[in-house]
């Protein structure tokens, strides 16, 4: 396997893994069918422009970071509220010492009591998918790089 084959092999594996995990994340986020009815909702403004917010499942994107032609990183972006769902936090709730706690606001105008509401619970829609699938990527990249290392011995002048 020459250098270009090795790079292409690793890049293809990273692309395959990113696509597979993105599909699983979309499926995992698809279970949140309460909330937004439309695919896009306008929320407030940023710099005078309306800010659009997508349903979580529709906002997931995977990106591959490349340096010198070699895929060396993967990132996933999604709507900001996906972090709140993962951690179980949001308006009136925050994480403290690993637990989600209801926050009491000092301003009487802001402290509207919501009688009968359930406390929020973290929902593992993201981290579990990555933890489940990372070992496969690690094994494949190690295998590809081990083969490339062994084949690099062919460069020597004998």
């Amino acid at each position: 396997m020459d250098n270009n084959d090795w790079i292409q092999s690793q890049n293809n594996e990273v692309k395959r893994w990113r696509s597979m995990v993105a599909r699983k994340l979309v499926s995992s986020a698809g279970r949140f069918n309460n909330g937004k009815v439309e695919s896009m909702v306008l929320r407030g403004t940023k710099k005078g422009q309306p800010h659009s917010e997508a349903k979580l499942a529709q906002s997931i994107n995977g990106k591959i970071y490349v340096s010198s032609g070699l895929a060396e990183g993967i990132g996933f972006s999604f709507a900001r509220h996906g972090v709140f769902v993962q951690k179980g936090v949001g308006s009136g709730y925050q994480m403290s010492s690993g637990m989600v706690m209801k926050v009491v606001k000092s301003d009487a105008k802001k402290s509207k009591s919501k009688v009968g509401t359930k406390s929020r619970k973290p929902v593992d829609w993201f981290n579990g998918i990555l933890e489940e699938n990372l070992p496969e990527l690690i094994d494949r990249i190690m295998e590809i790089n081990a083969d490339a290392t062994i084949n690099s011995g062919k460069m020597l002048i004998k």
Side-chain angles (χ1 to χ4, degrees):
M1 178 185 300
D2 72 1
N3 199 31
N4 289 334
D5 290 343
W6 163 70
I7 289 172
Q8 192 60 44
S9 181
Q10 181 163 323
N11 289 351
N12 288 341
E13 187 58 36
V14 169
K15 286 177 189 174
R16 184 200 65 77
W17 187 87
R18 185 224 31 212
S19 297
M20 175 192 68
V21 170
R23 281 191 307 276
K24 289 181 179 185
L25 289 171
V26 167
S27 176
S28 179
R31 65 186 157 155
F32 306 122
N33 50 16
N34 294 332
K36 295 178 188 68
V37 177
E38 297 92 26
S39 60
M40 281 292 202
V41 176
L42 294 178
R43 300 264 190 233
T45 59
K46 282 187 178 180
K47 298 179 183 176
Q49 298 297 318
H51 167 67
S52 62
E53 186 178 277
K55 284 187 175 186
L56 184 56
Q58 293 172 333
S59 70
I60 297 170
N61 273 319
K63 179 172 175 54
I64 297 174
Y65 299 94
V66 178
S67 177
S68 301
L70 180 65
E72 61 177 28
I74 302 170
F76 291 98
S77 63
F78 48 85
R80 188 175 90 137
H81 60 275
V83 175
F84 302 145
V85 172
Q86 177 72 33
K87 291 187 169 196
V89 299
S91 179
Y93 294 85
Q94 70 182 20
M95 188 74 80
S96 177
S97 302
M99 296 177 58
V100 177
M101 301 183 70
K102 178 104 172 119
V103 179
V104 178
K105 297 179 180 172
S106 61
D107 188 357
K109 292 178 185 175
K110 292 182 181 177
S111 63
K112 298 177 183 175
S113 68
K114 296 180 180 178
V115 180
T117 60
K118 299 180 197 174
S119 64
R120 294 187 182 195
K121 301 242 186 277
V123 179
D124 186 11
W125 71 273
F126 184 81
N127 290 347
I129 301 289
L130 289 183
E131 289 170 353
E132 179 183 308
N133 291 283
L134 268 172
E136 177 188 344
L137 177 64
I138 292 167
D139 289 344
R140 286 293 300 136
I141 296 299
M142 283 178 23
E143 185 179 308
I144 291 166
N145 284 293
D147 290 346
T149 302
I150 290 169
N151 291 336
S152 69
K154 295 178 182 175
M155 295 188 307
L156 300 174
I157 299 173
K158 295 183 180 183

